[in-house]
Amino acid sequence: MATTIKTRRALAKVGVITGLVIGGLFAGLPVVWLLSTSFKSNGDVFQNPPKLITKNFSFDAYREILGNGAQVRYFVNSYIVAFAVTILTLLVAVLAGFAFSRFTFPFQKTINAVIISVQAVPPITLVIPYFGLVVALGLYNTYSGLILTHMVFTLPYAIIMITAYLNTVPRELDESVKVDGGTSWTALWRILVPISVPGLIAVGIYTFMISWNEYLFALTLTRTDDMRTVPIGIQLLMGQHSYEWNQMMAMSVLGSIPVLLLFLVFLLLLFILPFFGKIDPAEDVVGRTQESL
């Protein structure tokens, strides 16, 4: 009997490991091939049989991308829009989440239902209305037009997630601030926000990814190359008669670096540093706040 149980556990362990390996290969091989293609010449991309590493290994595709001012501008535009969207989304979502979590006001459930329902609307159905609105407001081909449009799609998710996160924070922390003479504003910025940093980081990374990778509205609401973003820049490498596959892959690799760095920062702040920490963040925040009051 004991042997049978051990055998089943061993088989289950082998099955789990096999599944993880297959899943890892399924997810990792396209990335490996992406990297490989970015170091090939355009002629070697369609080599038969295909090779992961060729004799003509070079950084020419990266030199072409980084040496082209227009393509570098795509990255600058993406950084400006994505960071602005992330900061503004977090700011508005924190205030809205605090209101939904800690207060009761008229039409609260209705407003909450509207915010949730926005998530169900396919973005493509809003392209023409938003195009007309942005043009009417004089925001066509501007950073403001892109930022405000991206926020329409990032804010609902951010508000929902931050509200849910704040609901898990005990109300006693707010009350302890008020007992010491503080206000709701003090409780928000000195207690709730510091404690909610892990949730804010997760929402911020998701928001940045949505804005960084957004293609449809970036294409529709911009006209000139000096306002295009990275996804549009990759698409523009597809010519009428030829595709610059190696440059497309190189630009995709460069476009993936910011998201990868944000993920590493997220990993560092949420898992690595707390593992070595000895102070409970909540107790530390409350203690410092009470001292300052």
Side-chain angles (χ1 to χ4, degrees):
M1 185 67 178
T3 305
T4 304
I5 295 176
K6 289 182 179 179
T7 302
R8 289 179 180 177
R9 289 179 178 175
L11 290 175
K13 186 176 182 180
V14 171
V16 170
I17 293 175
T18 302
L20 290 173
V21 170
I22 294 174
L25 290 174
F26 184 78
L29 283 178
V31 177
V32 173
W33 197 257
L34 172 77
L35 286 168
S36 172
T37 304
S38 70
F39 294 112
K40 297 177 181 178
S41 65
N42 210 37
D44 290 337
V45 173
F46 298 100
Q47 197 174 36
N48 191 18
K51 295 181 179 180
L52 192 63
I53 300 177
T54 64
K55 296 180 180 179
N56 299 323
F57 180 91
S58 70
F59 292 91
D60 290 344
Y62 291 93
R63 294 192 188 99
E64 290 289 335
I65 296 295
L66 298 177
N68 187 319
Q71 291 173 333
V72 172
R73 181 70 184 182
Y74 300 148
F75 285 94
V76 175
N77 293 337
S78 286
Y79 278 118
I80 292 174
V81 173
F83 276 117
V85 169
T86 302
I87 294 171
L88 292 174
T89 296
L90 286 176
L91 179 61
V92 175
V94 164
L95 297 175
F98 180 61
F100 279 115
S101 175
R102 292 301 193 265
F103 301 101
T104 301
F105 50 88
F107 305 107
Q108 181 175 7
K109 293 183 178 179
T110 302
I111 296 173
N112 196 31
V114 171
I115 291 173
I116 295 174
S117 64
V118 170
Q119 293 289 90
V121 179
I124 194 170
T125 62
L126 301 175
V127 171
I128 294 177
Y130 272 108
F131 177 79
L133 180 63
V134 167
V135 170
L137 294 175
L139 300 177
Y140 181 65
N141 202 47
T142 64
Y143 290 127
S144 300
L146 283 178
I147 291 168
L148 292 175
T149 304
H150 286 188
M151 286 182 65
V152 171
F153 301 102
T154 59
L155 259 179
Y157 173 84
I159 291 174
I160 293 169
M161 295 304 296
I162 291 177
T163 300
Y165 198 96
L166 291 178
N167 285 338
T168 65
V169 179
R171 292 177 178 268
E172 288 77 6
L173 296 177
D174 305 41
E175 295 170 358
S176 67
V177 174
K178 294 178 181 178
V179 168
D180 291 331
T183 62
S184 297
W185 194 255
T186 304
L188 171 63
W189 294 111
R190 295 194 179 184
I191 296 291
L192 298 181
V193 169
I195 290 177
S196 303
V197 165
L200 295 178
I201 292 175
V203 173
I205 291 176
Y206 176 83
T207 301
F208 184 90
M209 289 174 58
I210 292 296
S211 180
W212 182 270
N213 294 322
E214 202 283 319
Y215 172 83
L216 183 61
F217 287 93
L219 176 65
T220 306
L221 301 180
T222 57
R223 181 182 67 252
T224 58
D225 284 344
D226 62 333
M227 289 302 303
R228 303 288 194 187
T229 57
V230 170
I232 311 303
I234 295 174
Q235 186 267 333
L236 291 176
L237 291 172
M238 303 180 193
Q240 182 177 359
H241 302 290
S242 65
Y243 286 13
E244 298 295 336
W245 289 106
N246 57 341
Q247 292 185 35
M248 288 171 60
M249 299 303 107
M251 199 165 185
S252 298
V253 171
L254 294 173
S256 302
I257 291 176
V259 177
L260 177 62
L261 291 177
L262 284 176
F263 175 78
L264 293 176
V265 170
F266 176 80
L267 186 67
L268 179 67
L269 292 177
L270 292 190
F271 296 100
I272 298 178
L273 291 182
F275 179 77
F276 295 101
K278 298 180 180 179
I279 300 176
D280 182 8
E283 293 180 358
D284 184 51
V285 169
V286 173
R288 285 188 287 106
T289 303
Q290 290 176 340
E291 290 177 2
S292 63
L293 293 173

